[in-house]
């Protein structure tokens, strides 16, 4: 009730609502409905993990501005082990209305759908210390970035860059701040 009351009072104040749904039951049908119907823009990442395996799929969000998943999360939800990325994205679009969709493939890069195009971008690092949190970092930066630029190539590049920076650290020993991101970007482009 507290979350619903807060959202009803404040949701229109925000340009973007970012939802990381871990499937622990906090995001009820009523909260999801409120988010979908009243957010100016809704960015969603629905995670599959050992605590919710088989029960937490993206299609409980019937519409969102931006949807970000990893490949297993996309495939589990639509029950498709083998289709190519283009078919996978078409199936996702049939289940949820999204303007932008990103699917991360770990060491195999990212596919981003936006502006009726699907762009395939490579991973930007092979030096993996720990992949924990890379998808979360990807989602966080790309959610914000989509407010400024809808070009799928740019979205994927920025996300993969942050992911490449994140995998250089063990677990959550460091977070990515503006200075470390810009420094990494400059060194990458040099």
């Amino acid at each position: 009730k507290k979350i619903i009351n807060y959202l009803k009072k404040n949701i229109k104040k925000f340009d973007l609502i970012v939802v990381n749904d871990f499937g622990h039951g906090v995001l009820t049908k009523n909260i999801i409905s409120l988010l979908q119907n009243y957010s100016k823009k809704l960015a969603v990442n629905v995670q599959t993990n050992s605590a919710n395996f088989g029960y937490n799929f993206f299609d409980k969000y019937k519409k969102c501005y931006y949807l970000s998943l990893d490949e297993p999360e996309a495939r589990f939800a639509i029950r498709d082990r083998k289709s190519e990325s283009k078919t996978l994205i078409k199936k996702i679009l049939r289940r949820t209305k999204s303007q932008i969709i990103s699917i991360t493939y770990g060491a195999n890069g990212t596919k981003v759908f936006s502006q009726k195009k699907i762009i395939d971008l490579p991973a930007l690092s092979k030096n993996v210390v720990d992949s924990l949190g890379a998808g979360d970092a990807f989602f966080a930066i790309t959610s914000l970035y989509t407010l400024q630029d809808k070009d799928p190539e740019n979205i994927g590049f920025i996300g993969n860059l942050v992911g490449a920076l994140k995998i250089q650290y063990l677990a959550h020993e460091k977070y990515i701040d503006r200075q470390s991101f810009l420094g990494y970007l400059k060194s990458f482009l040099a």
Side-chain angles (χ1 to χ4, degrees), residues 10 15 49 62 68-69 76 90-91 110-111 119 127 130 137 152-153 155 160 163 179 190:
N10 296 292
D15 295 328
N49 57 50
K62 300 303 179 203
S68 180
L69 305 164
F76 288 144
K90 283 181 182 178
K91 288 181 178 183
T110 303
K111 311 276 192 276
I119 300 295
N127 182 23
D130 188 353
E153 191 166 7
I155 295 166
N160 284 358
Q179 185 177 354

Side-chain angles (χ1 to χ4, degrees), residues 43-61:
V44 176
N45 173 253
V46 181
Q47 295 197 6
T48 298
N49 57 50
S50 60
N52 68 32
F53 195 76
Y55 299 98
N56 197 47
F57 299 124
F58 73 84
D59 58 0
K60 65 183 174 179
Y61 294 86

Side-chain angles (χ1 to χ4, degrees), residues 118-172:
I118 299 173
I119 300 295
D120 185 3
L121 295 116
L124 299 177
S125 177
K126 299 208 186 293
N127 182 23
V128 180
V129 172
D130 188 353
S131 64
L132 181 71
D136 296 324
F138 178 98
F139 174 59
I141 194 71
T142 56
S143 294
L144 297 173
Y145 188 79
T146 62
L147 290 176
Q148 298 300 314
D149 185 355
K150 292 172 186 53
D151 185 307
E153 191 166 7
N154 295 340
I155 295 166
F157 172 72
I158 292 296
N160 284 358
L161 190 68
V162 168
L165 181 57
K166 177 64 180 100
I167 64 173
Q168 294 179 21
Y169 305 116
L170 184 61
H172 296 299

Side-chain angles (χ1 to χ4, degrees), residues 8 30 34-35 45 53 66 69 72 77 81-82 93 102 104 118 123 127 135 141 146 159 161 163 172 180:
K8 283 181 178 178
N30 287 340
L34 190 65
L35 291 168
N45 173 253
F53 195 76
Y66 175 50
L69 305 164
R81 288 184 182 195
K82 297 179 182 176
L93 285 167
S102 63
T104 57
I118 299 173
N127 182 23
I141 194 71
T146 62
L161 190 68
H172 296 299
S180 62

Side-chain angles (χ1 to χ4, degrees), residues 98-124:
S98 299
Q99 292 178 33
I100 303 168
I101 298 171
S102 63
I103 302 176
T104 57
Y105 290 79
N108 295 317
T110 303
K111 311 276 192 276
V112 180
F113 165 82
S114 179
Q115 300 174 325
K116 299 184 182 184
K117 298 185 285 191
I118 299 173
I119 300 295
D120 185 3
L121 295 116
L124 299 177

